[in-house]
Each structure stands twice: as C-alpha cells, then as structure tokens.
Amino acid sequence: MPVSPIGRIDPRWALPTLDEVEAGLVVLDALGHIQIWNRWLERRSGRSAEQVIGRSLAEAFGIPLERRFAYMLKQALEHGLPVLLSHGLHPSPLPLFVEGQQGERIKQQVTLKPIFVDARPCGCLIQISDVTEIVRRETLLKTQANSLAERLQRLSETQAELQYSETRFRQLASKAPVGMFETDATGHVVFANERWCRFIARPLSELRARPFFEPLAGEQRAQLAAAWEKSRVVDAPCNIDCRLGDPAQRACWLRIELTPIHAPGATTSGYIGTAVDLTDEKEMTLRYAYSATHDSLTGLHNRAHLETLLAHAVTGATAGTGPLSLLFLDLNGFKPINDAYGHETGDRVLRVVARRLRRELREDDAIGRFGGDEFVVILSDYSCRADIDGLCARLREAVTKPINVGTQLVSVGCALGRADYPVDGADATALLQRADANMYEDKARAKRDR
Amino acid sequence: MIELSELQLDALNETFNVSLSRAAAAFADLVGEEVELTIPSVEILDRSALATRLPGNGERMYGISQEFNVHRSFHTKALLVFPERSSLDIVRQMLGGSVDLEQITEIEQDALAEVGNIILNACMSSLADMFGAAVEGTLPHVLIGTAPELACSDQLQSETLVARVGMRLANRDVSGFMLFMMDAASIQGFTQQVDRVFGI
C-alpha cells in the first residue's frame, strides 16, 4: 500500500498524543486484546486504560459484543479486511456514554483498520466517533423536510382544487346565457365571458385591466360609471337598465347588476357584474307604450294622447311659456273615395295625408288623428300670425295634391279651422270646440264658393 | 492493451462468480432478506472505451471506493457504483427512511459505504483466499458524480477491469457495476494468479 510521506519533525514539537484525539482509539493485538485505550474512551466508558489493557473488548466492557461487531472484528483481525460500521446500521454498538452520565449510549460510527507486519495482519486499530450531534441535526432536518413536504402537498392539493374550481367557473361563465364580468376593487376587468364581450363588442384582450365601462361612450359610459360608483360607495349591489349600441341601429337593452365581492376581513376585493338582455322586453314595452298613444293606421298621435298633449300645452301657455294655437283639419271628399274604392284605399289615402301633414310641421308641433278623417295640430311658439297663415296654406296644398292609390289618382280637399289661446278658448275643450266650429265654417264657405 | 484469451475470461467470470456469491451472502445477512446478485460480465477496457460503455446520460451516481493490495501480486482501486435512485432505495430500504429527500444524508451515506464495504470486502477476501494471498485494504469512501467522472478520475490507470453486477433487493431491481482499476503490471499480476488457480 502506498505510504504517505512524512516531513521533518522537530523533536521539540509537542505533538498531540493519542489522548488528545477527539475520538475513541483502541489498538488490539492479533489475539484481540486491548493494547491502547485512549483518554476519550476512558471518559465515555468509565473504564481506565489500566483496567482494560490486556483484556478483550467483551471483558473490558463486561458484556458480549454485538454479533455483527464481533464478526467484523474477526474479519479485521484474521483476514486483514478494513471495516466500517455505519451508525445507520449499528447505532450504538459499544456501551459508551456522555461523560459522567449513564442511560442512553452515544451514537457511534466505528471503523476497524487492520495492522500489518510483513504483509500479515497482526492487530487492529479501532476508531470510534461520536455522531450524536450529526444524527440530531439530520433527524431535525428530516422532520422539517417531512413537515415541509406535507405542507407543500396540502398547498398543491389546495391549488389544484382552486384551479379546478376556477376552471369550472370559467366554463360555466363562458356558457352562461347572461353576460358576466369580474373586476378588481378599482373596477378594472379581470374576467369577462363571451356574452359580455359580445354585448360590448370588444374582445376580452381589450377589456382586461381596464375599467369595465371604458369601452362604452357618452351617456352609456356615464350611466355605468355612476352605477359602479354608487355600488362602491354604499358597498351594496345596484342595478341599472342601460341602452347600448348606435342610436341609429337597433338598440340593445341590458339590465346590469353590480355586486361587491368581499375578501376575508370584509374588505371589498372586487365586483361581479351580470348583464341580462332586456331588448325584447324593452321593445315590447315601448311598442305597447307607442300603441297606447299613437294611431295604428297613420302613426300620428291618437285622440286620447292628443288631448293629453293639448292639456299640457294649455297649462304651459297659461304659465306664460309662449303662444298656443290649434288647427282642426277635416278631409273633404274622403267618404266617397272610401265608398267607391274600399277601406283599403281609404286607409291608404289617410296614411298619405298624414305623412304630408307631418312633413310640413316642425319637430315640436304635435299632430294627431282626431277622428275618421279628422286631424288636429297643436302649434306652440308661433309668435307671428302670418307664419300660421302660411302654414295653413301649405297644409291645404299638401292635402289636396293628388294621391296615387295604385290604379289611379284620387284627391281630397281640406277644411281647416283654427283657434288661438286664449282668444278662442282658455282650456283644451274650448279650443277644440272653437277650432272645430271654424273648420265647419271653412267647409261651408268652400261649398258656397264652388 | 492487454488481451485476455477466452479461457482467461471464463476463468475471470468464474472467479468473480465465486467471490460475489460470498458478497451476496454477507449482504443478505446484513439486510436480513434475500439479495440476488447476478453473475457479472467481466472485461478489460481502456479509458476511452470505459467512458463510452458506462451509463452516460449524466445521471448522478454514488460510488464506494476502496484500495486493495494483494501482496506481491496486484494493487487495485475497487469502485462499486450505483445510480443515485438505486442508492436511495438501498439505504431507505435498510434504514426505513420515510422522507422522500432527494439527497442522501451524511448518516445514510455512511450506511451506503458500509454496504459497499461488505460487498467489496467479501469479493476481495474471496479472491485473496482463492489466490492464497493476504489482502490489505483501505476503509471505504463515498464518491458522488457521473459514471465517467467516478471511473475516469484516476489519471494513472490506462486500463480497467470492469465487472458489471446486478442486484435484486426486496422486489426492486437495483443495478450497479463494479470497477477494478489496475495499472498494467497489476492486471498482469492478477491474471497470472487466475491462470495459476485455474491451471491455464
């Protein structure tokens, strides 16, 4: 075996002796009798060198050696084989203790190194290390690693559950028949389902991390922003009916409800928004409302609504908001057309007349179908009599133009009566009666002039 | 490059077969359950061939190393190598470890060293008995690295006697290999002993 070189050693050096080595050292002769027993062993075995020199290990300790230790010792002494007795497999093979204490043996690692003379084993060096502290540290490490592994496992399971839960939510939300979106505490979108994106006409990529109402414009945006602010301030759900889309196009009506989400600790962590499409319902409501106030044939106000409008106009005029005039129109020669060509032609004539009359009027002027072939016009804010005279002339002209009823042209005449507030009446009924009367006078005059 | 005849290779296989039987018995006695060791395949490889024949996928390996000297015959550095996973399996099986630590601890490493010590000692003592010679050895040390790093770390040896051995422990397949690194003179001395014993 190669031998490590030794340098020059000064004889004055106080080299450490075997008694200063911090490990147990035993030298056995070929018969297994102790020849060296250092101080470390004396302190931990409770036996002095004088007590054990010349004895076997079993005699020195007063107990038989462990079977494995005895076998390994034999291997070393008889066959010259070096042996390691690891702590893991032989925790404490020898009865050694913390100095001055009895009870639990110190944890040991033992090596047996044969000693050779002329290539023949003639003894053995046994080295014993105290690995108690190493074992303690490793046990602690394993305990902590165990604990950490369990916590990681629980965390992993929780994360998996959360992931599953979130995936399920996303799938449900994506298939939901309502629009859904989620925001953080500041109202910025963190999630939106497909339906909401369709309502807003924006992809999710453009919505994320921006205020949920930002993609909208004008009044719509202001409405939603106000609703969110309200929900935020009162920390309670709120809802709003909102019309989306271009006013020139078919409206999309949504009922949007905002609900705050509370994190543990009761602070608001975000908002959930749901949007239900009310378009059909709204349109139906509007249609009903329209039907209640409008004549289905001509699209003009119906009599009941017109009387309501007139009452309001009189109230306004009484309050001094401006002048008020009423026109009463009756079609001359309508009945013969109806009788000759049928109700369908008669209806067509009425629709054409209504359209022509509406075209001649201002946006603010109200016109309604008062009776079969009677029309009433409410004029507000006409400060000049001449303007009304001019309007009346245009209305007559518009009515009396020929009307194409499909197979031929027909024409009707127009008797027109006027009443001015307050001269001709101070209330709606009086004005109507006056205008009606004036209309009949106009009709009679027309007959006389023919 | 040393060339061995077929007869010599057969004799080497038989030699290791006998010696590893003793190692298996010693190991089984230690772990308290049956251990199967497969018959090794023995060959002599130079350094470049050794590097290519060993597991080269970069897997971490644990090697238990001891040097032995058979007086006036041969000197060898014996290395018993297991993949890290197998090493973990061996020590955890023997020590009953429950923590799935990825690294072997210091105490577990010592236990692995003892396992290697038992196998290598049994192998070498069998060889020594067969050759009728005394063997002197060092205590085991644990080395960690890839197979080429472990096997080719000794710069002095140009040729290596390689014996691959498989172990089956508690229904788990644990494969490893044993290397006997010798210089040319030692390989010659070793084969001379084999020739003498088997009458070649």
Side-chain angles (χ1 to χ4, degrees):
Chain A
M1 291 287 290
V3 177
S4 301
I6 300 176
R8 278 194 345 164
I9 297 175
D10 187 325
R12 293 171 298 177
W13 290 353
L15 293 172
T17 65
L18 292 177
D19 284 337
E20 290 166 303
V21 174
E22 279 302 314
L25 293 174
V26 184
V27 173
L28 304 179
D29 61 19
L31 297 175
H33 294 158
I34 298 168
Q35 299 303 320
I36 292 177
W37 182 266
N38 73 343
R39 184 78 48 78
W40 189 95
L41 272 169
E42 286 184 333
R43 291 202 292 261
R44 285 159 181 80
S45 68
R47 287 159 176 78
S48 67
E50 287 75 24
Q51 287 176 292
V52 302
I53 294 290
R55 294 172 179 268
S56 69
L57 283 174
E59 288 166 352
F61 287 115
I63 55 172
L65 297 179
E66 286 182 7
R67 187 181 68 84
R68 185 92 191 123
F69 188 98
Y71 175 76
M72 294 300 209
L73 187 57
K74 189 178 174 186
Q75 287 272 301
L77 288 175
E78 294 182 11
H79 299 279
L81 292 167
V83 173
L84 166 68
L85 288 163
S86 65
H87 167 75
L89 297 170
H90 316 275
S92 301
L94 299 173
L96 300 172
F97 307 90
V98 173
E99 187 175 0
Q101 297 179 20
Q102 290 290 314
E104 194 175 343
R105 297 182 182 185
I106 62 171
K107 301 184 191 327
Q108 305 152 35
Q109 183 201 56
V110 181
T111 60
L112 293 82
K113 185 77 174 67
I115 299 170
F116 287 84
V117 172
D118 295 333
R120 303 222 73 82
C122 64
C124 173
L125 168 66
I126 303 174
Q127 180 170 315
I128 305 148
S129 302
D130 183 353
V131 295
T132 305
E133 183 56 26
I134 294 174
V135 169
R136 187 194 69 78
R137 282 202 303 265
E138 286 193 5
T139 303
L140 179 62
L141 172 69
K142 285 187 179 180
T143 303
Q144 290 174 338
N146 237 346
S147 173
L148 181 61
E150 284 173 14
R151 281 154 70 179
L152 283 173
Q153 175 67 19
R154 281 199 297 272
L155 179 63
S156 179
E157 288 169 359
T158 302
Q159 283 180 330
E161 283 174 18
L162 188 63
Q163 179 73 21
Y164 174 67
S165 190
E166 188 169 333
T167 301
R168 254 188 13 180
F169 166 72
R170 295 266 184 263
Q171 286 172 342
L172 284 169
S174 71
K175 301 298 178 195
V178 299
M180 294 174 68
F181 60 89
E182 182 183 353
T183 77
D184 59 17
T186 62
H188 289 69
V189 172
V190 295
F191 168 76
N193 72 348
E194 285 176 28
R195 195 166 284 271
W196 174 252
C197 292
R198 277 206 296 275
F199 284 155
I200 298 288
R202 293 281 196 283
L204 180 57
S205 57
E206 288 184 24
L207 299 178
R208 205 175 264 133
R210 301 169 77 173
F212 71 94
F213 46 79
E214 190 185 86
L216 305 171
E219 190 185 338
Q220 302 161 6
R221 180 175 173 162
Q223 274 183 321
L224 281 177
W228 176 70
E229 183 61 28
K230 182 181 171 186
S231 179
R232 195 182 69 78
V233 167
V234 303
D235 193 30
C238 71
N239 60 67
I240 175 175
D241 287 356
C242 183
R243 184 186 186 282
L244 302 185
D246 190 330
Q249 296 172 356
R250 183 174 182 254
C252 171
W253 284 90
L254 299 179
R255 174 160 297 153
I256 299 174
E257 180 160 332
L258 289 167
T259 306
I261 309 169
H262 295 106
T267 57
T268 303
S269 63
Y271 297 84
I272 291 282
T274 56
V276 178
D277 192 342
L278 296 179
T279 305
D280 291 343
E281 186 183 316
K282 207 73 170 181
E283 285 183 345
M284 195 176 297
T285 303
L286 289 173
R287 273 200 299 274
Y288 284 146
Y290 185 83
S291 298
T293 56
H294 287 74
D295 173 57
S296 60
L297 176 64
T298 62
L300 302 179
H301 295 302
N302 59 20
R303 178 171 176 152
H305 191 52
L306 198 68
E307 286 174 344
T308 304
L309 291 175
L310 181 57
H312 287 151
V314 168
T315 303
T318 306
T321 56
L324 173 65
S325 295
L326 198 68
L327 300 180
F328 204 114
L329 290 94
D330 182 276
L331 300 184
N332 297 330
F334 173 74
K335 193 173 181 308
I337 294 173
N338 215 27
D339 293 341
Y341 298 103
H343 288 289
E344 198 174 312
T345 300
D347 288 348
R348 192 168 181 168
V349 168
L350 288 173
R351 280 198 293 269
V352 169
V353 167
R355 228 172 16 249
R356 288 177 181 177
L357 290 173
R358 181 69 256 175
R359 259 203 308 268
E360 296 302 327
L361 296 170
R362 302 172 307 176
E363 191 73 34
D364 293 341
D365 298 331
I367 177 170
R369 186 181 174 201
F370 208 71
D373 61 347
E374 294 171 336
F375 300 88
V376 169
V377 179
I378 304 172
L379 301 173
S380 304
D381 289 336
Y382 273 88
S383 55
C384 175
R385 187 186 178 90
D387 289 340
I388 298 179
D389 290 341
L391 175 63
C392 290
R394 291 198 302 276
L395 291 175
R396 284 183 203 275
E397 188 182 345
V399 170
T400 55
K401 279 184 189 164
I403 298 170
N404 186 348
V405 295
T407 55
Q408 59 186 351
L409 295 175
V410 300
S411 59
V412 291
C414 174
L416 195 152
R418 172 178 166 180
D420 297 325
Y421 173 91
V423 172
D424 297 318
D427 59 54
T429 305
L431 285 170
L432 277 168
Q433 285 173 344
R434 185 71 252 165
D436 185 37
N438 288 341
M439 182 273 293
Y440 275 108
E441 273 186 35
D442 188 52
K443 193 186 279 284
R445 194 166 35 247
K447 272 187 184 167
R448 283 198 302 271
D449 291 346
R450 255 207 304 269
Chain B
M1 178 71 176
I2 294 175
E3 298 284 341
L4 295 175
S5 68
E6 231 176 274
L7 216 56
Q8 283 177 312
L9 282 172
D10 282 346
L12 278 172
N13 278 321
E14 183 60 30
T15 302
F16 281 105
N17 188 25
V18 170
S19 60
L20 284 169
S21 296
R22 188 185 288 189
F27 191 50
D29 187 49
L30 174 69
V31 300
E33 58 183 286
E34 195 165 323
V35 174
E36 292 173 25
L37 290 178
T38 62
I39 296 172
S41 62
V42 181
E43 53 187 337
I44 295 178
L45 298 172
D46 62 22
R47 186 189 303 284
S48 57
L50 179 62
T52 59
R53 293 289 287 275
L54 297 175
N57 58 3
E59 186 182 4
R60 256 162 67 103
M61 315 286 266
Y62 279 78
I64 302 98
S65 168
Q66 283 183 257
E67 289 190 43
F68 293 96
N69 188 55
V70 177
H71 188 57
R72 283 205 288 267
S73 182
F74 65 90
H75 175 85
T76 180
K77 180 177 175 184
L79 188 62
L80 177 61
V81 182
F82 294 107
E84 184 173 29
R85 195 67 237 172
S86 297
S87 306
L88 280 167
D89 284 345
I90 291 170
V91 294
R92 298 281 158 77
Q93 177 75 19
M94 291 166 60
L95 302 182
S98 60
V99 175
D100 189 21
L101 288 178
E102 293 301 315
Q103 307 274 336
I104 287 187
T105 65
E106 192 174 336
I107 295 295
E108 289 170 336
Q109 203 166 298
D110 276 352
L112 187 67
E114 181 171 344
V115 168
N117 180 224
I118 291 168
I119 295 175
L120 289 172
N121 272 1
C123 190
M124 289 307 299
S125 74
S126 173
L127 287 173
D129 286 351
M130 200 183 300
F131 298 157
V135 62
E136 195 176 333
T138 63
L139 288 165
H141 297 281
V142 174
L143 308 171
I144 306 170
T146 62
E149 285 170 356
L150 296 180
C152 302
S153 59
D154 191 338
Q155 299 295 323
L156 298 178
Q157 313 302 347
S158 59
E159 288 171 317
T160 305
L161 189 71
V162 178
R164 291 176 187 273
V165 61
M167 293 169 61
R168 190 163 172 79
L169 172 67
N171 297 320
R172 253 181 269 198
D173 281 321
V174 175
S175 65
F177 54 90
M178 209 181 293
L179 305 178
F180 294 92
M181 286 173 268
M182 307 179 196
D183 59 16
S186 287
I187 292 180
Q188 198 145 12
F190 182 80
T191 49
Q192 277 173 0
Q193 291 282 9
V194 171
D195 289 347
R196 182 180 59 78
V197 168
F198 287 92
I200 296 173

